[in-house]
Amino acid sequence: MTRVDMTTRLAGVAFPNPVFTASGCAAAGQELHAFFDVASIGGVVTKSIMLAPRSGRATPRMAETPSGMINSIGLQGPGIDAFLERDLAWLEAQGARAVVSIAGGSLEEYALLAQKLRGRAGIAMVEVNISCPNVEDRGQVFACDPTASSNVVDAVRRNTSSGVPVFAKLSPDVTDITTIARACVAAGADGLSVINTLLGMVIDTTTMRPVLGGVTGGLSGPAIRPVAVRCVWQVHAALPDVPILGMGGIRTGLDALEFLLAGASAVSVGTTVFGDPSAPVRVLRELEQALADRGIDRLSDVVGLAHRPPAARVPEDADPLGDELVPAAAAQEAAP
Amino acid sequence: MPVQVTGEVVSAKRIGAYTAMTVTAPGVPELARPGHFLAVQVGGPASSMLLRRAFALYDMSPRGVYGGTVQFVFAVSGRGTAWLAERRSGDRLDVVGPLGRPFRLPAHPVSATLVGGGYGSAPLLPLARVLRERGCRVSFVLGAGSVDRLFGHLDAKRMADTLAVTTDDGSAGERGRVSDVLPAVLERTDSDVVYACGPMAMLRAVSDIAAERGLPSQVAVEESMACGIGVCMTCVLPVVGDDGQTRMVRSCVEGPVFRGDRVRWDAVGTVPPDAVGAITAPGAHR
Ligand SMILES: Cc1cc2nc3c(=O)[nH]c(=O)nc-3n(C[C@H](O)[C@H](O)[C@H](O)COP(=O)(O)O)c2cc1C
Ligand code: FES
């Protein structure tokens, strides 16, 4: 295989490759280190951490759904102090690039979290989980309101070291994702993580009650991938210069490529890790092969490539299986 | 440390309502101890079922005709286990294991009672073997709804010093629950320790009976798990730590075996308000 330059940049920070874990799907990397070297992937995005220790929601917290799952964990975690002492220190010792995800219930909590991270070594980026209920506003989710979103981003950006990019993680459960994206960038977000889970629900037809202890939960996995690709596409079209960390149902290297083509500069592999703990390194390998197969020698060349005008040349069909549903003759006719 | 390997099905045997499946899994049996479990991918690599199914180890053989093999027992309870039940020898299976914390073993040759409900007896059989090797006296109490849902009673009969069987419908052994006969068995065998695996309600009853008599108990729980390796936080239950504080702990990495007296059985399925980090303020973080 010819070597492809897999390096990528997110808001000025260089990463050796574009495959990251997803927040809440990798804890803080230690358990996955049994399956692959956490320093070998682009970065480890840690479970969203809050100021205080937190027990999360009642069980059951999970249900499998077609090509996906729904979860209501409720941000269980040890709190920022234990996280810094134990988890971040461990990631740093491994030489991993840590993307620290933070979550709060108020502007003050987000600001305090950012202050705690300030000046700490071993943090490549901060990801702000804004899909949290605002306790000061009747539990309204920050990510669903442009003003609330921008207030959070502003609070975090102002309290974060200047060399550390702040990414805001967007929720797809909004009328127009670009409105929220613009608000976050205007408030100082250096990049955007797209997307968080979709709000969903499952009812047990035997007990005739909701399955999840938390009643509703977040839908993730390949079932949401087309929604996620659409969101990345729209955000990149609206804000072409803003780096995107794309995620939502990535299972293979070709899935990752789809996100890059839509405009992401890097991707997170989330739910897939539960069924395949070594998935991030596999996706990375498959992505590199897919780029090589297409004669592309620099990953950065494909970022946003799907946005080019239709008349532009496309490479020879390198993925005939992808056209399985197109009759062979028609596929040939459609070729440029 | 667990490993992820692609194994091959060696055999799939029907035993009553269950299937006992033997799979080659190089590297797994060497590390496996009674109480450890496996997480098995179902539906093939492009399956719409993303999550692994978790099974307690019934047998681990580091050396055999097929190299290292592991065996586990399951009942068909959904699409994933239905797919698994259709696997035939030679089919490939992606396996992660061994996972979790195994049963703790006594330092001295004591008298041990092993209580199993349904296929929950599967991990107790390798445990009995290890206990026997250590000179322990082993008594079994096995129960199920009906005789076809009883598992391991033939093995147990061969291996144990005593065996008591209960079924809800009386189709085998005494009619009733394992908890009905357990106190008398503990008395008669002068048991020093109790091990159990089975449904939550049974584990709770067994833990209580052991605690009333001042006996230590080790119970293997079955919580629903999305990852089995400790990264998702779906499999938690309230457990009291050495410091007396209740925490929501992951049954896949801190369990599945717990001290019966440390599990807050009355609060399973909830986050008790006195748990570390219990949510007191409103707001429903996903
Ligand atoms: C069990 C679980 C827990 C999650 N926890 C978090 C979290 O703490 N913070 C966050 O920003 N996103 C969280 N997510 C969302 C993921 O990071 C990701 O955005 C989403 O699942 C879509 O990607 P995927 O389909 O690859 O999983 C969680 C997802 C799952 C499945
Ligand atoms: S099953 Fe994922 S943490 Fe236990």
Side-chain angles (χ1 to χ4, degrees):
Chain A
M1 186 167 97
T2 50
R3 281 263 153 228
V4 179
D5 176 2
M6 296 296 283
T7 58
T8 192
R9 294 183 83 79
L10 293 172
V13 177
F15 294 88
N17 66 68
V19 180
F20 292 55
T21 60
S23 181
C25 302
Q30 283 182 56
E31 294 83 359
L32 293 183
H33 202 61
F35 301 95
F36 65 90
D37 176 6
V38 292
S40 69
I41 58 170
V44 175
V45 184
T46 56
K47 169 89 188 155
S48 295
I49 195 79
M50 302 190 75
L51 214 45
R54 196 180 162 87
S55 270
R57 293 169 92 173
T59 55
R61 290 179 168 183
M62 174 279 286
E64 193 178 52
T65 59
S67 291
M69 66 174 280
I70 182 163
N71 87 84
S72 67
I73 308 297
L75 296 184
Q76 180 170 342
I80 187 76
D81 292 332
F83 168 82
L84 292 174
E85 202 174 303
R86 232 180 32 214
D87 299 330
L88 186 64
W90 183 86
L91 281 168
E92 199 189 351
Q94 308 310 311
R97 288 150 295 278
V99 177
V100 177
S101 170
I102 55 173
S106 65
L107 288 182
E108 193 196 352
E109 187 171 357
Y110 281 105
L112 285 170
L113 283 161
Q115 283 163 21
K116 293 261 188 188
L117 298 180
R118 200 186 175 106
R120 292 290 303 223
I123 301 176
M125 306 204 310
V126 174
E127 186 177 82
V128 195
N129 178 359
I130 55 173
S131 295
C132 296
N134 181 355
V135 294
E136 285 155 0
D137 186 16
R138 296 163 290 120
Q140 287 286 86
V141 174
F142 291 102
C144 295
D145 178 66
T147 311
S149 298
S150 63
N151 288 342
V152 173
V153 170
D154 175 58
V156 174
R157 184 61 276 177
R158 270 192 290 113
N159 288 289
T160 301
S161 323
S162 56
V164 176
V166 170
F167 272 50
K169 184 162 176 181
L170 305 184
S171 165
D173 292 335
V174 294
T175 313
D176 178 3
I177 197 165
T178 63
T179 311
I180 313 287
R182 284 183 210 280
C184 290
V185 170
D190 304 285
L192 300 164
S193 297
V194 184
I195 57 174
N196 213 316
T197 53
L198 280 81
L199 193 60
M201 182 169 179
V202 178
I203 293 175
D204 183 326
T205 49
T206 304
T207 63
M208 306 205 229
R209 301 270 316 140
V211 170
L212 298 181
V215 182
T216 60
L219 180 66
S220 64
I224 72 166
R225 199 170 67 232
V227 176
V229 171
R230 179 268 295 174
C231 289
V232 171
W233 170 280
Q234 289 180 328
V235 171
H236 183 71
L239 300 159
D241 299 326
V242 175
I244 296 172
L245 177 59
M247 72 208 75
I250 294 173
R251 193 177 193 178
T252 67
L254 291 181
D255 298 343
L257 179 56
E258 212 184 326
F259 279 80
L260 299 176
L261 292 168
S265 296
V267 295
S268 280
V269 178
T271 302
T272 295
V273 167
F274 300 160
D276 183 10
S278 49
V281 285
R282 176 181 54 76
V283 168
L284 175 58
R285 206 170 48 237
E286 291 170 356
L287 175 62
E288 185 168 2
Q289 183 66 56
L291 293 172
D293 289 349
R294 286 158 180 72
I296 291 156
D297 44 34
R298 253 189 348 195
L299 172 114
S300 53
D301 290 348
V302 297
V303 174
L305 194 62
H307 291 261
R308 74 194 181 289
R313 287 281 312 169
V314 289
E316 293 285 299
D317 191 351
D319 171 35
L321 270 183
D323 298 340
E324 180 171 271
L325 298 180
V326 182
Q332 228 141 58
E333 238 168 80
Chain B
M1 281 241 270
V3 293
Q4 180 178 6
V5 292
T6 305
E8 232 175 64
V9 176
V10 174
S11 69
K13 271 193 298 230
R14 284 301 298 258
I15 303 177
Y18 308 118
T19 302
M21 187 166 271
T22 304
V23 186
T24 61
V28 179
E30 292 83 344
L31 303 169
R33 304 282 172 270
H36 273 142
F37 68 96
L38 301 171
V40 180
Q41 212 171 53
V42 293
S47 168
S48 69
M49 293 177 278
L50 301 178
L51 307 178
R52 283 173 190 261
R53 304 303 190 256
F55 306 104
L57 275 161
Y58 169 49
D59 186 57
M60 39 289 221
S61 311
R63 286 170 301 274
V65 203
Y66 302 98
T69 59
V70 289
Q71 191 174 23
F72 56 93
V73 178
F74 61 94
V76 172
S77 60
R79 289 197 304 132
T81 40
W83 179 87
L84 207 53
E86 285 162 14
R87 294 310 97 202
R88 295 292 166 259
S89 76
D91 286 352
R92 288 172 161 255
L93 221 50
D94 185 312
V95 172
V96 172
L99 295 167
R101 284 194 189 164
F103 289 110
R104 290 239 189 142
L105 300 171
H108 305 288
V110 299
S111 172
T113 295
L114 281 51
V115 189
Y119 62 87
S121 46
L124 300 180
L125 293 155
L127 173 66
R129 224 164 285 136
V130 173
L131 290 172
R132 294 296 304 246
E133 281 165 20
R134 298 189 160 215
C136 293
R137 215 181 119 86
V138 173
S139 308
F140 267 101
V141 180
L142 301 181
S146 54
V147 64
D148 61 317
R149 310 216 131 239
L150 210 52
F151 184 83
H153 49 298
L154 301 177
D155 288 351
K157 196 169 193 165
R158 250 195 321 272
M159 213 179 333
D161 295 285
T162 73
L163 164 67
V165 169
T166 65
T167 49
D168 294 353
D169 65 358
S171 53
E174 270 185 60
R175 179 191 295 269
R177 300 280 167 101
V178 291
S179 47
D180 299 335
V181 305
L182 182 60
V185 171
L186 295 178
E187 211 61 45
R188 207 166 51 233
T189 58
D190 201 14
S191 279
D192 303 297
V193 56
V194 181
Y195 292 94
C197 182
M200 284 293 198
M202 186 204 96
L203 298 182
R204 178 180 188 172
V206 171
S207 300
D208 288 349
I209 291 168
E212 279 161 21
R213 285 159 182 73
L215 300 179
S217 59
Q218 295 258 311
V219 304
V221 303
E222 223 185 60
E223 266 290 344
S224 99
M225 295 179 183
C227 76
I229 57 171
V231 296
C232 75
M233 308 302 285
T234 61
C235 61
V236 299
L237 75 176
V239 175
V240 181
D242 289 337
D243 58 0
Q245 300 236 50
T246 298
R247 290 183 182 78
M248 299 304 288
V249 309
R250 294 165 296 177
S251 58
C252 67
V253 288
E254 279 138 293
V257 178
F258 292 102
R259 276 176 56 168
D261 62 335
R262 291 292 182 83
V263 178
R264 296 271 301 267
W265 299 106
D266 56 328
V268 169
T270 69
V271 178
D274 60 337
V276 173
I279 303 166
T280 45
H285 289 264
R286 243 182 261 172

